[in-house]
């Protein structure tokens, strides 16, 4: 479990953080062919009285409910701040969009600047870009030229790591401008994170694993 690996297993705040994250099955789309889902859904309903959500594989981890819970939100930011304060970090890079929710608060608390890593055509100044693979197709992250100076110590913040493709692109971007990426940090980390080996050897700090379901039936 990530929490154990990170030495946070006994931190009582983690349960509250995990429980404040809403799990939304089938969002943003069905994980399997809809007829398959229907077939197995009927089968599951008949035999286990289950709606079949667990079959689809897609369990969207909705951090907007965490933001509504003042204690859980503050605990989340505090854990990151406690970890990175005093480490001479001068750059907190947040990945659009949900890394923008946690990154600025962490940056302010540890005395670092916040650098947004944005999706294409959002930044008005000169940018450098880094493409990455999605399940279907590719996407791209961009950083403003001049936002980070060579030699600066950086962390990358996002809400969730699944394949690790997004964080890998963020690392590559920062390294291209000469930053030293100390660690990547996410609130939620998928257990089967193939991303672990795609993070260019950089440590990955995760608070909780995704929950599987809230109201399956
Ligand atoms: O580890 P990966 O497989 O790369 O996936 C993780 C990324 O996916 C989500 O963002 P998404 O691309 O959905 O963009 P959004 O935050 O703008 O909705 C999430 O916030 C991470 O940034
Ligand atoms: N299960 C998931 N929940 C929320 N955001 C995601 N990005 C990729 N997988 C996700």
């Amino acid at each position: 479990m990530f929490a154990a690996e990170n030495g946070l297993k006994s931190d009582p705040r983690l349960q509250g953080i995990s429980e404040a994250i809403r799990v939304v099955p089938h969002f943003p789309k069905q994980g399997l062919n809809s007829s398959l889902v229907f077939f197995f859904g009927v089968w599951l309903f008949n035999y286990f009285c289950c709606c079949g959500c667990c079959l689809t594989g897609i369990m969207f981890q909705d951090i907007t409910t965490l933001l509504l819970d003042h204690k859980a939100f503050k605990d989340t930011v505090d854990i990151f701040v406690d970890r990175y304060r005093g480490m001479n970090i001068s750059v907190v890079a947040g990945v659009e969009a949900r890394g923008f929710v946690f990154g600025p608060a962490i940056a302010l608390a540890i005395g670092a600047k916040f650098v947004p890593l944005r999706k294409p055509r959002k930044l008005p100044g000169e940018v450098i870009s880094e493409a990455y693979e999605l399940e279907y197709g590719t996407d791209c992250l961009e950083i403003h030229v001049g936002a980070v100076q060579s030699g600066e110590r950086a962390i990358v913040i996002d809400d969730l790591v699944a394949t690790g493709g997004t964080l890998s692109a963020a690392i590559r971007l920062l390294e291209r401008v000469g930053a030293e990426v100390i660690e990547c940090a996410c609130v939620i980390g998928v257990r089967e994170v193939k991303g672990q080996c795609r993070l260019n050897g950089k440590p990955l700090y995760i608070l909780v694993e995704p929950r599987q379901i809230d109201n399956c039936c």
Side-chain angles (χ1 to χ4, degrees):
M1 180 174 169
F2 288 118
E5 287 165 16
N6 287 333
L8 283 167
K9 191 178 181 186
S10 58
D11 191 320
R13 296 173 293 184
L14 293 181
Q15 186 174 352
I17 291 168
S18 178
E19 288 173 359
I21 297 165
R22 173 168 54 183
V23 182
V24 185
H26 310 313
F27 183 87
K29 60 183 179 181
Q30 296 280 3
L32 291 176
N33 175 300
S34 55
S35 55
L36 264 181
V37 170
F38 178 76
F39 174 81
F40 283 113
V42 170
W43 183 84
L44 277 171
F45 187 82
N46 285 340
Y47 286 89
F48 299 108
C49 206
C50 170
C51 76
C53 293
C54 49
L55 259 182
T56 70
I58 295 184
M59 294 287 167
F60 189 84
Q61 309 291 308
D62 178 16
I63 54 108
T64 66
T65 48
L66 170 69
L67 310 179
L68 301 175
D69 181 333
H70 178 266
K71 180 177 177 348
F73 187 17
K74 184 172 186 313
D75 284 347
T76 303
V77 172
D78 285 350
I79 290 171
F80 289 132
V81 169
D82 288 347
R83 181 169 179 85
Y84 298 115
R85 185 187 280 134
M87 287 177 65
N88 199 25
I89 305 289
S90 62
V91 174
V92 175
V95 177
E96 184 174 354
R98 291 170 254 163
F100 294 3
V101 172
F102 302 99
I106 298 164
L108 287 173
I110 68 172
K113 59 185 168 188
F114 177 74
V115 177
L117 306 181
R118 298 214 62 180
K119 301 285 170 65
R121 296 174 299 282
K122 300 288 187 182
L123 292 171
E126 185 185 352
V127 297
I128 62 169
S129 310
E130 190 65 43
Y132 59 97
E133 286 182 20
L134 297 169
E135 198 176 354
Y136 301 104
T138 60
D139 208 339
C140 188
L141 283 179
E142 296 185 337
I143 188 173
H144 261 148
V145 171
V148 175
Q149 309 307 314
S150 181
E152 287 198 276
R153 288 165 59 82
I155 55 173
V156 184
I157 304 290
D158 205 351
D159 68 323
L160 178 141
V161 54
T163 66
T166 308
L167 285 180
S168 293
I171 292 169
R172 291 196 299 275
L173 259 189
L174 288 161
E175 290 186 334
R176 281 173 59 191
V177 296
E180 182 185 358
V181 178
I182 304 303
E183 189 159 86
C184 295
C186 292
V187 181
I188 308 154
V190 175
R191 186 194 295 254
E192 310 77 14
V193 64
K194 295 172 196 145
Q196 295 252 36
C197 57
R198 294 182 58 191
L199 291 181
N200 310 355
K202 299 298 178 186
L204 178 60
Y205 187 69
I206 301 293
L207 300 191
V208 298
E209 289 177 4
R211 291 212 327 280
Q212 286 309 301
I213 201 90
D214 269 351
N215 298 305
C216 180
C217 303

